[in-house]
Amino acid sequence: MNDELYSEVLRKRDNGLRLEDLTLAVVPRYFLYQDEEAPVDYAVPLPDQAKPGWTGKVLEEPSIKTPGSSAIQCYNPATGQLLGYVNPATPDGIDRALTKAAEAQKEWSKTTFKQRRKVLRTMLKYVDRGSSDSKCDQLMTCRHPADSGKTKVDAMLGEILVTIEKLKWTIQHGEKALQPERRSTNFLMMYKYNEVRWEPLGVLAACVSWNYPFHNALSPIISTLFTGSALLLKPSEQTAFSSSYFTSIARNALSACSHSPNLIQSLLCWPQTANHLTSHPGISHITFIGSRSVAHTVCASAAKALTPVCVELGGKDPAIILDSITPSELENKVLPILMKGIFTSAGQNCIGIERIIACPHSYNLLIPLLETRIRNLRLGPSLPSTNTTNDTNTDNNITTDIGPLISSSRFPQLQSLISSAVSQGGHLHCGGKPYIHPTHPHGHYFTPTFLSAITPKMPIAQTELFAPICLLMLASSPAHAISIANSTPYALGASVFGSPSDPDIDLCVSGIQAGMVSVNDFGAYYATGLPFGGVKGSGYGRFGGEEGLRGICNLKSVCRDSVWAEWIGVGTRIPGVLRYGSERMERDKVVGQGRKVKFLKGMMKMGYAEGMGRRGRGLWEMWRSG
């Protein structure tokens, strides 16, 4: 039962009504409420590439670019299989998409929260059914993004679970976050009623990264639709294939609920064309998820139209391990969390753990534990190959822990950083080079890597790696650990591990420069009611939670006379001595400004002086001068 109906039940009960009366009064409305927001069944056609028996050509040199063509070449980085081609958007295409979205938004902005929740419930039912029903395994296969190459486990935990949670949070709490909020007034304006409203902005844009193509597409769509705006979504060209399908999930949900699918526009384009989108005066707000170098270009482009931007730029997240952790807790509780935090999505995670900063006792214990676990990690595709008959990696016996990187273009940089660290005293325990998969030699795999004795001055400790690389750093004390944690340009997320009673935990939480901190865990993004974002070189602004919803709205301040003031005739009246163009003002030109000044001094005394005596004196001065 929703909060409004529950409150009515309590109110009627307190008034002495019988249970039968309550049932007759409330239950029919409860079912009416349920019907008004009940999800609608709908289907989204699966791409042929997600159907059983599909085979794709294996590219000799996989790349999203093809010689002599402007089309985006889509392929699976785990196998090198060609998925197809996507024609990129042009500036004219962006203009047309924006016009469609703006037209649809005019009607959408008038919808009620119930109507918006109905659309989100419809999406939720579709996404949840596909992730939990074994009969929908083909659908799950497509939701495991073939052009990101991540494992099905990583896709379910990092993409589908978080998206479902975001849908549920918005359905349950979104309306409350956007309700007008009363603000305080002051003594001189005691008759006023002040409030803040959050209203639709219009057409928004979201330029999102490739590492979480499902969640990064659906998350801004969910928030945008609930706030009453429209969205131009610009996914990464690296995941053009899956992003097109993911966007259709939202568009079809809108159509199923009798709303225009034009509210959501997917624009896949090359970087040189994206400038037309980010500088467009028809865009009211931009969410950008990506690298720092691209962020400079996006923000400079948005500045041409003075468009606000929320920027999330990744990080170099630390995990501080305090010595209050027992050896048993370190091995059985902390170590699995560290492994998940480092190697989820092959390390291509903006809030993944990039640095373990351990105090002396924990540091020595971690070295053999990490080395053993990392050496045992298995690389490969999460899905069975359709091109080979001798591949034993079927859906029932998948043994893959880590998938590929999105591209092999960064392999030389990673190897150079590792070599540099070793030359400066770092210890390479395992990995450090690309991996040639025996069945899928054209996949972009990098061997899981472990380095210890890393220091803050090494370039590898300052660079966001976005790779399956574990760095272990030694801290002499909690204060030293905080200093190391804050030694990079990044400040997105962080983790602290220690005994719950250890006072150094709060010392670390307060001392770490970050937008998010997890205690004895990693990944605050699972708590979708919290704002998500960082500081320093990790960007600015927040998405997620109330702050995220409100951040893509027009924040409107409204000041009006209170109802009680209107009843008794109290309102703003300009005193005669201060009226422009009045006879009193003409006379004051002769006698000077003294009377006005005395009146205003008295008014300020009455409003702000300490003590009733001085306030009363101020009122007397106002009366004499006015």
Side-chain angles (χ1 to χ4, degrees):
M1 186 178 297
N2 69 332
D3 292 341
E4 180 182 345
L5 293 178
Y6 182 67
S7 299
E8 183 172 345
V9 169
L10 296 180
R11 189 167 57 252
K12 290 182 179 293
R13 184 200 65 185
D14 293 341
N15 289 336
L17 292 182
R18 297 175 303 166
L19 178 61
E20 303 93 287
D21 296 326
L22 295 179
T23 303
L24 291 173
V26 175
V27 171
R29 289 183 56 195
Y30 172 71
F31 286 105
L32 177 63
Y33 158 79
Q34 292 292 86
D35 289 340
E36 287 177 340
E37 298 187 20
V40 179
D41 288 326
Y42 72 104
V44 181
L46 282 173
D48 291 338
Q49 294 88 334
K51 297 176 181 177
W54 175 84
T55 58
K57 171 187 175 183
V58 176
L59 301 171
E60 288 298 319
E61 296 182 4
S63 172
I64 59 173
K65 295 183 178 180
T66 53
S69 172
S70 64
I72 300 171
Q73 181 172 257
C74 307
Y75 69 95
N76 186 338
T79 63
Q81 288 174 278
L82 176 67
L83 298 171
Y85 298 91
V86 172
N87 289 321
T90 63
D92 286 344
I94 292 173
D95 290 341
R96 290 192 296 271
L98 198 150
T99 299
K100 290 180 181 178
E103 191 62 31
Q105 194 271 334
K106 292 178 183 177
E107 291 302 316
W108 181 249
S109 66
K110 302 173 186 176
T111 56
T112 64
F113 285 121
K114 287 184 179 181
Q115 290 174 301
R116 298 172 193 176
R117 275 195 296 267
K118 183 182 181 73
V119 174
L120 297 193
R121 290 182 191 277
T122 298
M123 288 174 57
L124 174 61
K125 183 177 181 180
Y126 180 85
V127 174
D128 187 40
R129 177 176 292 177
S131 64
S132 59
D133 189 345
S134 60
K135 295 179 181 179
C136 296
D137 194 60
Q138 291 180 26
L139 192 57
M140 266 297 301
T141 298
C142 191
R143 285 187 189 153
H144 148 67
D147 47 3
S148 76
K150 66 176 60 180
T151 67
K152 186 176 289 189
V153 170
D154 284 344
M156 292 184 71
L157 282 176
E159 303 250 35
I160 299 174
L161 183 150
V162 184
T163 302
I164 289 175
E165 179 58 31
K166 169 111 182 197
L167 280 163
K168 290 184 71 67
W169 184 90
T170 307
I171 289 167
Q172 294 171 358
H173 305 286
E175 181 175 359
K176 179 182 176 182
L178 298 181
Q179 285 294 325
E181 186 175 286
R182 185 171 181 178
R183 296 296 173 86
S184 61
T185 183
N186 55 61
F187 181 75
L188 294 177
M189 299 180 69
M190 66 176 70
Y191 59 91
K192 291 293 186 181
Y193 183 93
N194 300 331
E195 70 177 11
V196 175
R197 298 179 182 179
W198 288 272
E199 299 181 347
L201 264 180
V203 180
L204 318 181
C207 304
V208 299
S209 58
W210 47 261
N211 57 327
Y212 285 89
F214 182 70
H215 177 260
N216 285 353
L218 270 291
S219 179
I221 288 175
I222 293 165
S223 298
T224 299
L225 290 179
F226 198 78
T227 57
S229 290
L231 182 70
L232 268 59
L233 180 71
K234 193 271 176 202
S236 168
E237 54 272 22
Q238 293 281 170
T239 50
F241 171 76
S242 61
S243 296
S244 299
Y245 172 75
F246 298 150
T247 307
S248 68
I249 293 175
R251 288 173 58 87
N252 279 272
L254 284 164
S255 296
C257 297
S258 302
H259 299 292
S260 174
N262 289 334
L263 283 163
I264 307 299
Q265 301 287 327
S266 179
L267 298 169
L268 292 154
C269 63
W270 295 108
Q272 59 268 26
T273 308
N275 177 68
H276 186 76
L277 170 65
T278 53
S279 64
H280 204 293
I283 298 296
S284 301
H285 182 278
I286 298 173
T287 297
F288 175 78
I289 305 174
S291 67
R292 292 181 68 186
S293 58
V294 178
H296 286 290
T297 302
V298 170
C299 292
S301 175
K304 297 175 184 176
L306 297 179
T307 304
V309 186
C310 175
V311 182
E312 194 270 283
L313 305 179
K316 189 72 176 172
D317 287 12
I320 293 178
I321 316 297
L322 301 172
D323 277 343
S324 56
I325 287 285
T326 67
S328 176
E329 290 174 328
L330 186 66
E331 181 175 2
N332 299 311
K333 179 182 177 181
V334 177
L335 183 62
I337 295 175
L338 293 177
M339 291 292 293
K340 197 67 181 172
I342 296 165
F343 294 104
T344 289
S345 297
Q348 300 167 119
N349 183 3
C350 58
I351 59 168
I353 297 173
E354 291 237 350
R355 297 172 295 155
I356 300 176
I357 305 169
C359 290
H361 183 62
S362 298
Y363 179 91
N364 292 326
L365 293 174
L366 277 171
I367 290 177
L369 293 174
L370 284 168
E371 182 172 355
T372 300
R373 293 290 182 96
I374 294 172
R375 284 186 181 275
N376 289 336
L377 292 173
R378 299 154 296 186
L379 288 83
S382 180
L383 298 174
S385 170
T386 55
N387 279 11
T388 58
T389 57
N390 61 345
D391 194 344
T392 60
N393 196 30
T394 66
D395 247 1
N396 292 326
N397 65 358
I398 291 172
T399 57
T400 295
D401 297 307
I402 300 178
L405 297 190
I406 193 70
S407 168
S408 61
S409 61
R410 292 182 55 247
F411 285 1
Q413 180 198 20
L414 294 175
Q415 290 178 275
S416 175
L417 288 168
I418 292 168
S419 297
S420 173
V422 171
S423 69
Q424 296 178 63
H427 183 193
L428 176 62
H429 295 265
C430 58
K433 58 180 185 273
Y435 172 75
I436 306 301
H437 195 281
T439 308
H440 304 287
H442 299 286
H444 304 317
Y445 296 98
F446 197 87
T447 308
T449 300
F450 174 37
L451 292 123
S452 65
I454 299 299
T455 63
K457 292 184 178 180
M458 296 177 183
I460 200 168
Q462 298 293 320
T463 305
E464 184 181 27
L465 300 177
F466 240 53
I469 298 175
C470 173
L471 304 180
L472 181 60
M473 309 176 76
L474 174 63
S476 60
S477 65
H480 186 211
I482 294 171
S483 176
I484 295 173
N486 294 337
S487 65
T488 76
Y490 298 96
L492 184 59
S495 298
V496 182
F497 294 87
S499 170
S501 60
D502 189 345
D504 287 331
I505 286 183
D506 284 335
L507 178 71
C508 292
V509 170
S510 300
I512 293 173
Q513 297 170 356
M516 303 168 286
V517 179
S518 295
V519 176
N520 288 324
D521 203 347
F522 108 97
Y525 63 93
Y526 283 113
T528 56
L530 291 174
F532 185 101
V535 293
K536 292 171 59 175
S538 290
Y540 51 84
R542 297 291 187 271
F543 49 83
E546 292 186 2
E547 294 80 2
L549 279 181
R550 293 174 172 184
I552 56 172
C553 291
N554 173 34
L555 191 157
K556 181 180 288 184
S557 299
V558 179
C559 179
R560 58 167 35 138
D561 291 341
S562 296
V563 173
W564 66 264
E566 293 176 350
W567 285 348
I568 63 175
V570 175
T572 299
R573 300 288 187 273
I574 305 298
V577 69
L578 298 179
R579 291 179 183 176
Y580 289 174
S582 66
E583 293 182 5
R584 172 74 64 84
M585 188 174 183
E586 291 300 317
R587 293 197 302 270
D588 284 348
K589 288 180 181 179
V590 179
V591 299
Q593 299 291 313
R595 182 178 294 175
K596 294 185 178 68
V597 173
K598 287 181 180 179
F599 180 89
L600 292 172
K601 283 184 176 180
M603 184 181 73
M604 285 187 280
K605 278 185 184 179
M606 185 188 74
Y608 303 106
E610 294 182 3
M612 294 303 296
R614 294 194 66 198
R615 288 194 171 194
R617 178 67 179 174
L619 181 60
W620 169 253
E621 291 177 5
M622 287 176 64
W623 183 80
R624 290 192 61 191
S625 304

